[in-house]
Amino acid sequence: MNYKTDILIIGAGISGCSLARELSRFKADVAVIDRGNDLAEGATKANSGIVHAGYDAKPGSNKARLNVAGAQMFPALCELLGVPYRQAGALVIALNGQDRAMLEALLERGLKNGVQQLSILSREEALAMEPRLNPELVAAMSVPTSGIVSPYELAFAMADDAAINGVRFFLNREAAEVCRTEDGFRVTAGPDVFECRVLVNCAGASAAAIHNDLTGDSLEMIHRRGQYYLLDHAASDVFSRTIFQCPSAMGKGVLVSPTVHGNLLIGPTAEDIPDPLDTATTQEGLDNILLTAKKTWPELNVRANITNFSGVRAHLAADDFLVGPVTGCPGAFEAVGIESPGLSSAPAIGRELAGQIADYLALERKSRLNDYPVPPKPFREMTDEEKAEACRRNPEYGSVICRCEVVTEAEVRGAIRRPVGARTIDGVKRRTRAGMGRCQGGFCLPRVAAILAEELHCDLSDIRKDGSDSFLVTGPLADPEERKTV
Amino acid sequence: MIFQDKVDLIIVGAGPAGLAAAIAARESGVSSLLVLERENEPGGILRQCIHNGFGLHRFSEELTGPEYAWRDIVRARELDIPILCSTTVLSVSKDRKVSFVSKEAGFRSVQAGAVILAMGCRERPRGSLCTPGTRCAGIYSAGTAQRFVNLEGWMPGKRVVILGSGDIGLIMARRMKLQGAEVLACVEIMPYSSGLNRNIVQCLEDYRIPLYLEHTVTNIVGRDRLEKVTISRVDSNRRPIPGTEKDFDCDTLLLSCGLIPENELTRGIGVELSAATSGAVVTEKLETSVPGIFACGNVLHVHDLVDYVSEESFAAGHAAAAYLKAGAAAASAAPENRIHVTDGPGVRGTVPQLIDPDPEADIRLMFRPSGVFRNSTAVVKSGETILMKKKAMIFTPGEMVSLSLPAARLADVVNGSIELSIERN
């Protein structure tokens, strides 16, 4: 197919979805393409889920400016979109004198970046706040404005809001060729060709390659993998705040953090790898996490481990985001090198880029927006009265699909019917938490698969776990003709 | 169905444990009872266990899983026992208020006089093994694969490696082979299988499926769907030995790495749990630390044979009926007078953990050996006094040991404590 649009965004990660939502407020045709089989398939689905306060980035950098601005947008944005977010606070711990000096430097940097409420705590004060911390720590910096969020759920919500306001999303469309035309750009992606006046490069791991195509530069993307452990609710009371160790040249180091869903996250590693799609975990990486995390949590054990995963950060040697118009290429905009604090910055990146694009195209704001369909409160969080009422309203609430996370049929169907709905097992999992619990889908997988097949009017053999070749079954037990006669 | 706010007995689960408990309770005169089952039919995991080998002890014949379950379902129908299917219990309170949902009934809270927990167990997932690699499709617990094949009629894959030699994994090795798949290997981290010996013979050896003992999966490869697994030999600490890697091109990895009693509801009640069994701590009447709440079957401890699940659950049903009849007044021995049963060398997870010093019947003691012991004796001791012994050619972790301790022997118990052990002859 050949599509014409005013604005084409390449990449449906957190930056692309944030921008799509901001642009949906203007009178313009907007399309988003992504190579994944769902939204948020790159770094957005596999990161620490921290809304950083902004003390870490170099003052004056894009990272510092967008992080602080973005983090301030989180509480209202997540409230509006019904996305799980909590200002849990954080501690950065110092384990020796050198670390102690680093805390002072971080504090000073934080003040310069405009971060509020930072303070240095004594060992005793830190232990009183988080009794499971390594008692050998010498001091800690308290960061009350640090938050935790479900990153992929934020991307889904922003995409849903964009979609009901006219933005079109095209999945399984990898931008194979990007070229300039007389009045804009032409992008070949899978079977389709997209022509647009404004092109926005939010392509995560591939963003440097697209930048180079547009400019002739030779920007190099460093693919920095981070592996994690995710522990069950049983470990959720270990720490109530995010615990960082002092940062190093490779990043913010290994953290131990509660998640908004009551799990405990431990990681990430920081390894530079050649293939940005290589999201495998390794024995060495997993061993390193445990070794390092023990310095935060000496009694660490991973008996409650639910899963291990990894994500790949898009790191630039210059160690800063490239955000704004692409130099020397009118009509092209970009968000390149969006690694940590990319999630924290995403709302600000979207707003800033949308403003620049609106100016460039002289776009008018829409006078009226469609109401965002706020997702209903999860069944597991309802009171007994609310559960009874939900079952009366929709009997499908009475059918529990995922035992571990108490996700109902009503919610699974709801996730598939969202504006940019789930199409895969993992898509349902990330939108509803079915399969996120301790049995890891052992119980609910066949049930979710059956509901997907019913909702999408297809066969179980057409259902995918995640990527487009991640089939669940190889076929029926007997051939279909034989089945009919049985 | 019309719901009452109160029933005498609620049983959570209509698998073999719940069915047997319900039958026993009804036969003991409990007229008001309710069985709640999350699946759309009673029978539990037996519904998908279409192989034979069930019922040898209880019925002296070899039945398939559905046939075994059917006998209890028929009996339950004869006794007019109400079983609510497609119903999920959300919580049970300490004072035995049971909250549940179903499409038909919506959200309900019912006060029960007694509750029997019979939720069964679930399989250990990949996450608990911390196996590195990708998170591609094609990795299933053996039971999930069994459901796909036996209940839904779909083949999960064509080239299969099985990690763990638990019974379900062994059964699925044969099932996949019979269905035309290639089963390349069964990989077990321990030096012995955790499954029944008859399953090793009938499911692996008869089909020439190689069993790699002291090996484990050390890498999983495949972006979207599984493409390859690497296995490695492990040392005596069960750590992989570098240089011993062996690759298998496969599209499916089935996990059979152990079963975990499904005690989330139990934890919610505040019932005391045992670290050894991951089930409730119970008395010889199968009563938990919360009065009026009983547990039986695989939710209490993972059994090897369903016949023993039924036996235990009949006992739980009778005990709950007796509890209801006697009322709260007739509580058993004061907790401080109970005899404590502890695991000694070679023994893991003895049930029950507590015994009334003056029991009404002989005591059934069950446990799993902690390793393989040849020409050994299971010994029940109190202090230096041997209360009973049972010799065997071999004890293995795959087969439960069941001892019947005569009630009269409890007179010789000293310091209120009994220890079980396995001693080499």
Side-chain angles (χ1 to χ4, degrees):
Chain A
M1 280 275 283
N2 211 324
Y3 295 95
K4 272 197 161 69
T5 179
D6 295 324
I7 304 162
L8 179 70
I9 301 170
I10 304 179
I14 194 81
S15 310
C17 289
S18 171
L19 174 60
R21 177 174 176 273
E22 293 288 346
L23 286 173
S24 72
R25 273 58 186 153
F26 293 95
K27 291 178 180 166
D29 283 333
V30 182
V32 184
I33 61 171
D34 193 279
R35 71 170 158 213
N37 200 19
D38 197 354
L39 307 166
E41 282 280 5
T44 303
K45 78 171 180 195
N47 61 74
S48 304
I50 308 292
V51 180
H52 294 286
Y55 59 81
D56 191 42
K58 208 162 76 193
S61 64
N62 282 336
K63 280 187 174 181
R65 179 173 53 84
L66 292 162
N67 180 349
V68 174
Q72 285 167 358
M73 294 166 75
F74 264 81
L77 181 64
C78 292
E79 173 77 34
L80 189 72
L81 296 176
V83 173
Y85 163 83
R86 183 157 65 86
Q87 199 164 305
L91 295 181
V92 187
I93 60 168
L95 293 164
N96 52 46
Q98 204 181 336
D99 282 359
R100 179 73 179 77
M102 168 93 79
L103 290 188
E104 295 292 346
L106 287 176
L107 180 77
E108 200 176 313
R109 225 192 280 173
L111 295 175
K112 271 190 194 150
N113 290 345
V115 181
Q116 309 283 313
Q117 301 176 47
L118 297 176
S119 63
I120 304 282
L121 305 177
S122 68
R123 170 181 177 275
E124 288 67 30
E125 287 169 323
L127 285 171
M129 286 165 79
E130 296 288 356
R132 311 289 281 275
L133 276 175
N134 185 348
E136 287 170 22
L137 85 160
V138 297
M141 180 169 76
S142 168
V143 192
T145 58
S146 183
I148 51 179
V149 72
S150 170
Y152 41 86
E153 283 174 88
L154 177 59
F156 297 149
M158 293 193 297
D160 283 344
D161 194 10
I164 56 148
N165 284 296
V167 175
R168 289 176 294 170
F169 286 82
F170 298 86
L171 298 171
N172 291 305
R173 300 293 191 286
E174 178 159 17
E177 199 189 352
V178 177
C179 54
R180 298 217 55 143
T181 59
E182 234 164 74
D183 53 354
F185 304 87
R186 185 169 57 234
V187 176
T188 312
D192 300 323
V193 176
F194 295 84
E195 288 183 43
C196 58
R197 292 163 66 201
V198 161
L199 178 74
V200 196
N201 172 13
C202 297
S206 310
I210 293 173
H211 171 94
N212 293 343
D213 282 352
L214 292 170
T215 59
D217 290 351
S218 49
L219 194 62
E220 196 199 342
M221 186 69 80
I222 299 162
H223 307 296
R224 187 162 287 173
R225 181 167 64 191
Q227 307 184 30
Y228 293 88
Y229 279 88
L230 184 67
L231 271 51
D232 188 25
H233 303 303
S236 64
D237 58 351
V238 176
F239 295 112
S240 58
R241 297 167 185 77
T242 304
I243 314 294
F244 295 99
Q245 296 176 7
C246 277
S248 75
M250 286 298 273
K252 295 186 185 68
V254 169
L255 59 81
V256 183
S257 179
T259 72
V260 279
H261 295 297
N263 300 99
L264 193 74
L265 189 67
I266 309 175
T269 55
E271 324 138 44
D272 294 344
I273 55 166
D275 176 4
L277 298 181
D278 181 6
T279 54
T281 58
T282 63
Q283 192 65 56
E284 190 191 355
L286 297 178
D287 289 347
N288 279 338
I289 293 171
L290 297 188
L291 214 62
T292 315
K294 274 197 176 137
K295 290 185 207 156
T296 296
W297 178 25
E299 296 145 26
L300 173 143
N301 76 68
V302 290
R303 273 196 301 275
N305 190 47
I306 291 183
T307 189
N308 299 105
F309 63 90
S310 79
V312 180
R313 316 168 181 87
H315 178 70
L316 295 174
D319 197 24
D320 199 10
F321 303 152
L322 271 181
V323 175
V326 179
T327 313
C329 188
F333 294 80
E334 64 187 355
V336 182
I338 309 302
E339 57 174 338
S340 179
L343 169 63
S344 321
S345 308
I349 291 173
R351 194 174 56 182
E352 186 167 299
L353 280 174
Q356 292 166 353
I357 293 164
D359 286 349
Y360 178 81
L361 291 174
L363 299 177
E364 274 178 59
R365 279 193 178 268
K366 289 176 183 167
S367 54
R368 216 195 125 258
L369 291 173
N370 293 325
D371 283 339
Y372 169 76
V374 179
K377 186 175 186 178
F379 187 71
R380 69 181 159 274
E381 291 172 16
M382 291 180 189
T383 63
D384 286 357
E385 290 71 30
E386 288 170 335
K387 283 175 182 161
E389 176 52 30
C391 291
R392 270 193 293 275
R393 240 179 23 247
N394 178 359
E396 285 167 357
Y397 273 106
S399 164
V400 175
I401 299 297
C402 166
R403 223 353 240 117
C404 302
E405 297 290 310
V406 196
V407 181
T408 65
E409 185 179 332
E411 293 167 292
V412 173
R413 291 189 193 275
I416 301 168
R417 296 172 189 169
R418 295 291 295 174
V420 190
R423 292 292 175 269
T424 61
I425 299 286
D426 284 0
V428 169
K429 175 169 92 172
R430 291 185 202 118
R431 285 167 179 84
T432 66
R433 296 193 58 73
M436 283 274 190
R438 62 194 80 81
C439 95
Q440 280 289 286
F443 177 76
C444 68
L445 174 103
R447 290 161 175 81
V448 171
I451 295 173
L452 271 167
E454 196 187 305
E455 287 280 331
L456 304 176
H457 307 290
C458 65
D459 234 23
L460 189 72
S461 54
D462 299 321
I463 301 301
R464 298 292 179 261
K465 176 184 182 282
D466 196 5
S468 51
D469 286 326
S470 61
F471 54 91
L472 296 182
V473 294
T474 49
L477 224 50
D479 72 66
E481 288 309 305
E482 209 175 312
R483 275 159 74 89
K484 274 177 205 154
T485 62
V486 171
Chain B
M1 167 135 202
I2 298 163
F3 282 92
Q4 291 165 332
D5 295 338
K6 281 185 175 179
V7 291
D8 286 344
L9 176 63
I10 285 183
I11 296 170
V12 186
L19 288 170
I23 291 165
R26 181 69 110 205
E27 287 176 342
S28 307
V30 178
S31 57
S32 139
L33 87 172
L34 189 56
V35 185
L36 304 174
E37 166 59 45
R38 69 184 178 191
E39 295 282 341
N40 57 6
E41 281 176 59
I45 203 70
L46 290 174
R47 295 168 59 230
Q48 66 185 54
C49 298
I50 63 170
H51 52 283
N52 60 356
F54 300 92
L56 281 167
H57 295 256
R58 184 173 161 203
F59 299 113
S60 300
E61 55 183 311
E62 229 184 345
L63 306 173
T64 64
E67 286 169 336
Y68 186 104
W70 185 243
R71 296 197 176 192
D72 287 336
I73 294 167
V74 167
R75 183 67 186 138
R77 282 186 188 164
E78 286 167 3
L79 293 169
D80 210 15
I81 293 170
I83 303 175
L84 249 57
C85 291
S86 303
T87 300
T88 306
V89 175
L90 299 175
S91 68
V92 180
S93 71
K94 229 173 190 146
D95 54 5
R96 303 176 307 279
K97 195 169 220 175
V98 180
S99 298
F100 57 90
V101 283
S102 74
K103 276 191 189 176
E104 284 68 31
F107 176 91
R108 301 279 166 171
S109 269
V110 176
Q111 178 65 51
V115 174
I116 299 179
L117 304 172
M119 292 88 77
C121 59
R122 60 183 161 81
E123 298 172 279
R124 271 183 80 188
R126 173 185 174 187
S128 64
L129 311 172
C130 302
T131 307
T134 58
R135 291 159 301 290
C136 48
I139 304 168
Y140 296 108
S141 69
T144 303
Q146 190 178 46
R147 183 186 165 105
F148 271 130
V149 177
N150 290 350
L151 290 186
E152 304 190 359
W154 293 97
M155 274 296 270
K158 290 177 175 158
R159 290 176 61 84
V160 184
V161 170
I162 296 178
L163 175 59
S165 61
D167 287 312
I168 313 169
L170 300 174
I171 294 289
M172 281 311 289
R174 176 176 64 182
R175 186 78 184 96
M176 294 300 284
K177 186 94 177 179
L178 288 173
Q179 213 53 55
E182 281 182 79
V183 182
L184 306 167
C186 179
V187 183
E188 169 62 57
I189 195 165
M190 300 301 285
Y192 47 81
S193 161
S194 56
L196 293 168
N197 192 47
R198 72 170 192 222
N199 283 334
I200 300 280
V201 175
Q202 294 171 9
C203 299
L204 296 185
E205 290 173 9
D206 286 0
Y207 295 87
R208 298 200 177 83
I209 296 167
L211 172 62
Y212 292 87
L213 294 174
E214 297 186 276
H215 278 74
T216 193
V217 171
T218 48
N219 198 16
I220 292 172
V221 180
R223 185 150 291 162
D224 275 357
R225 176 78 190 199
L226 182 64
E227 290 163 20
K228 186 172 86 174
V229 301
T230 304
I231 73 168
S232 304
R233 181 176 282 284
V234 296
D235 63 21
S236 53
N237 296 318
R238 287 184 260 161
R239 293 288 300 182
I241 303 170
T244 62
E245 294 83 4
K246 188 173 167 68
D247 289 346
F248 291 96
D249 292 327
C250 57
D251 63 10
T252 305
L253 176 66
L254 300 186
L255 306 178
S256 177
C257 302
L259 299 169
I260 306 167
E262 190 143 2
N263 273 305
E264 280 66 39
L265 283 175
T266 322
R267 220 165 269 131
I269 306 168
V271 161
E272 187 190 344
L273 293 173
S274 150
T277 58
S278 302
V281 169
V282 291
T283 65
E284 83 284 0
K285 295 192 179 72
L286 301 157
E287 190 174 9
T288 68
S289 62
V290 176
I293 297 188
F294 298 78
C296 58
N298 283 350
V299 78
L300 180 58
H301 55 145
V302 176
H303 292 64
D304 53 348
L305 297 177
V306 68
D307 307 62
Y308 298 140
V309 167
S310 301
E311 180 189 301
E312 180 175 281
S313 305
F314 280 121
H318 289 302
Y323 170 89
L324 288 166
K325 238 177 247 167
S332 46
E336 59 274 19
N337 294 338
R338 283 174 181 160
I339 297 165
H340 288 253
V341 183
T342 55
D343 298 340
V347 169
R348 191 164 164 74
T350 308
V351 172
Q353 294 87 352
L354 297 167
I355 302 176
D356 191 316
D358 188 20
E360 287 153 17
D362 295 347
I363 309 294
R364 170 71 64 196
L365 294 168
M366 297 180 97
F367 67 88
R368 296 252 181 191
S370 62
V372 176
F373 300 88
R374 285 173 203 284
N375 298 319
S376 300
T377 304
V379 182
V380 184
K381 266 196 275 198
S382 181
E384 291 309 303
T385 314
I386 293 174
L387 303 181
M388 74 172 293
K389 284 184 181 190
K390 184 181 181 179
K391 275 192 186 182
M393 300 268 285
I394 186 164
F395 290 100
T396 75
E399 308 202 8
M400 247 170 151
V401 181
S402 173
L403 305 170
S404 179
L405 178 66
R409 297 297 286 137
L410 293 180
D412 296 333
V413 169
V414 292
N415 295 329
S417 140
I418 287 177
E419 187 189 81
L420 279 74
S421 58
I422 294 182
E423 294 170 8
R424 291 182 202 277
N425 295 343

